[in-house]
Amino acid sequence: MKATKALLCASTFFGATVAAQAVDLEVTHWWTSGGEAAAVAEFAKAFEEKTDHTWVDGAIAGSGGTARPIMISRITGGDPMGATQFNHGRQAEELVEAGLMRDLTELAEKEGWRDFIRPSSLLDSCTLDGKIYCVPVNIHSQQWLWLSNKAFEDAGVPVPTNWDEFVAAAPALEKAGKVPLAIGQQPWQTTLVFQVLLTALAGPEAYNKIFGDKDTELAASEEIAKVFAAADQARQMAANSNVQEWNEATNLVITGRAGGQIMGDWAQGEFQVAGQVAGEDYTCLPGLGVHEVIQTGGDAFYFPLIDNPEVAEAQEALASVMLSPDTQVAFNLKKGSLPVRGDVDLEAANDCMRKGLDILAKGNIIQAPDQLMSADSLVQINDLFTEFFNNPELTAEEAQKRFVELVGSAT
């Protein structure tokens, strides 16, 4: 296995008297779309230019839901990689508690991570019992509606400025042969749509109370019933969106075959690879044009505990490189996300990234679901919305009742 090769490459013959050797460090992640591959290549390039080590790419096709079980199985099964991607939050909590992840506190204190990582909740999500176990590398927000300017031009209607205008334009889009709303069939995509609708239409406070405080009374309210009615509209608008992957849905927007997509800001990477320009070829509406808010989720890298000083040195080197100012800029411009450093120059940011930076500067932020609710609870909610979007006979009212039960039992 690659991890075993890394260990062999890192072995020493004379103990501490021999200088650190170059390591082939396997890094696992689920970044496989065009925009994602371009972004992760920036990490690999920086790691190999700034150190003597080699990045061994361990991309796992599919979403995080597909990749995470594989990653966890390898770590718990004694075949750890050098570094692995997770999302900010509680996804790796059990691995940390089991003593399988490296403590990065000493490195973080030496480099002053708390002085430049913004918002501080990102590093808090890497912290357990006062110790830091991961490196946040970006801020990803899912609170966006991406619109094809061409699709609306073909349909003879103005590009919408909010969710209500988007819904009102759906009949014209359908008449012009367009799919109003592109949604892939992966379970997390339908849950993302609901979470964005909830935050945009009911407001950030309602989102925090439901996912953070597990407020069943609010979840059962008429206010949230309106969100479920909007989710019903969304599934009708997406009825002919016959794609699986999120980036396939993004491509429908890029090519003008769909009017819009509710998706995280990582979609920007796909628009950039396609040569499209924000504000000209496509339009972005943070918070669906209703409640402009940035979700401070995103990606972080953890480093499995490997009893080898050479591998440990390479792991620390990668952690440091990922947070260096130039790497943060290069990676996030390709990824479509925002940097975790509050002290970097983003003069090259496009129209949509600037919108995100402005919202972040105003402090209009919420935490990601993974930071508020356990992975098991979110899987159950994923399952509900997968069923809702695929079963027209499941009414909004019944789905809301089941949602209330899941919120009540969530951890």
Side-chain angles (χ1 to χ4, degrees):
M1 303 296 287
K2 292 174 183 174
T4 304
K5 291 179 182 177
L7 287 172
L8 292 174
C9 179
S11 14
T12 59
F13 297 99
F14 303 107
T17 62
V18 178
Q21 296 182 29
V23 170
D24 292 337
L25 197 72
E26 183 190 13
V27 184
T28 55
H29 59 86
W30 56 84
W31 289 327
T32 56
S33 75
E36 290 173 329
V40 76
E42 294 293 339
F43 274 153
K45 176 183 175 184
F47 182 57
E48 296 190 350
E49 287 183 348
K50 294 173 182 285
T51 77
D52 293 327
H53 308 300
T54 300
W55 173 291
V56 178
D57 200 68
I60 300 173
S63 66
T66 300
R68 278 190 296 273
I70 297 172
M71 296 166 174
I72 292 170
S73 177
R74 281 190 53 182
I75 295 168
T76 57
D79 180 29
M81 62 295 291
T84 189
Q85 173 195 10
F86 283 102
N87 295 122
H88 298 318
R90 300 172 59 183
Q91 292 176 352
E93 190 172 74
E94 293 182 359
L95 295 173
V96 172
E97 291 174 339
L100 297 173
M101 291 298 188
R102 284 205 62 203
D103 176 1
L104 302 174
T105 308
E106 185 176 347
L107 177 66
E109 292 177 348
K110 176 184 175 183
E111 297 189 343
W113 291 2
R114 288 202 179 275
D115 296 333
F116 59 75
I117 291 179
R118 296 288 182 273
S120 59
S121 60
L122 297 176
L123 203 55
D124 292 341
S125 293
C126 287
T127 305
L128 188 67
D129 297 330
K131 296 181 179 180
I132 296 170
Y133 289 93
C134 69
V135 179
V137 296
N138 60 11
I139 301 170
H140 261 319
S141 178
Q142 62 188 38
Q143 311 292 326
W144 297 83
L145 176 59
W146 305 93
L147 302 171
S148 165
N149 291 3
K150 181 180 185 302
F152 289 95
E153 182 181 345
D154 291 347
V157 292
V159 176
T161 63
N162 57 49
W163 173 255
D164 287 342
E165 291 179 5
F166 179 60
V167 173
L173 289 168
E174 290 178 330
K175 187 176 180 181
K178 314 290 185 182
V179 176
L181 181 63
I183 302 178
Q185 298 301 307
Q186 294 164 309
W188 64 269
Q189 294 186 58
T190 51
T191 304
L192 181 151
V193 168
F194 173 76
Q195 291 167 354
V196 173
L197 286 169
L198 190 154
T199 307
L201 304 182
E205 185 177 352
Y207 165 83
N208 285 325
K209 286 183 176 180
I210 289 175
F211 282 89
D213 300 336
K214 320 300 187 292
D215 188 333
T216 55
E217 183 176 349
L218 177 57
S221 70
E222 180 60 31
E223 182 180 7
I224 303 304
K226 294 177 182 177
V227 175
F228 275 86
D232 186 30
Q233 290 177 316
R235 68 175 174 178
Q236 293 177 47
M237 294 166 66
N240 294 316
S241 178
N242 300 316
V243 293
Q244 178 71 18
E245 305 290 333
W246 70 268
N247 53 305
E248 293 174 331
T250 305
N251 189 58
L252 293 178
V253 180
I254 290 172
T255 56
R257 290 176 288 166
Q261 178 190 24
I262 296 175
M263 185 48 58
D265 51 14
W266 50 89
Q268 278 204 93
E270 304 305 301
F271 286 101
Q272 290 184 38
V273 168
Q276 297 211 334
V277 178
E280 296 181 14
D281 301 303
Y282 66 98
T283 297
C284 54
L285 298 181
L288 308 187
V290 184
H291 278 101
E292 292 192 348
V293 64
I294 286 294
Q295 179 178 289
T296 56
D299 302 293
F301 278 83
Y302 287 77
F303 299 84
L305 188 62
I306 298 175
D307 187 18
N308 185 299
E310 307 296 340
V311 173
E313 188 277 330
Q315 289 175 323
E316 287 197 6
L318 178 57
S320 183
V321 166
M322 285 178 160
L323 284 176
S324 64
D326 55 341
T327 307
Q328 275 284 296
V329 171
F331 170 77
N332 284 291
L333 285 177
K334 293 283 181 67
K335 193 70 168 63
S337 48
L338 302 179
V340 300
R341 294 191 69 119
D343 59 354
V344 296
D345 179 14
L346 278 173
E347 185 63 32
N350 66 22
D351 180 65
C352 293
M353 185 177 285
R354 290 187 185 280
K355 288 182 181 180
L357 289 168
D358 287 344
I359 295 169
L360 188 64
K362 293 174 184 175
N364 296 340
I365 60 176
I366 58 173
Q367 290 183 295
D370 291 318
Q371 295 170 288
L372 300 172
M373 192 175 282
S374 71
D376 288 342
S377 297
L378 288 174
V379 166
Q380 294 178 53
I381 292 174
N382 280 351
D383 291 343
L384 170 62
F385 282 97
T386 300
E387 181 181 353
F388 179 72
F389 273 82
N390 287 284
N391 179 12
E393 294 182 4
L394 177 57
T395 66
E397 293 77 13
E398 177 58 29
Q400 184 177 7
K401 288 180 182 178
R402 290 170 56 181
F403 179 67
V404 172
E405 293 173 357
L406 291 175
V407 170
S409 61
T411 57

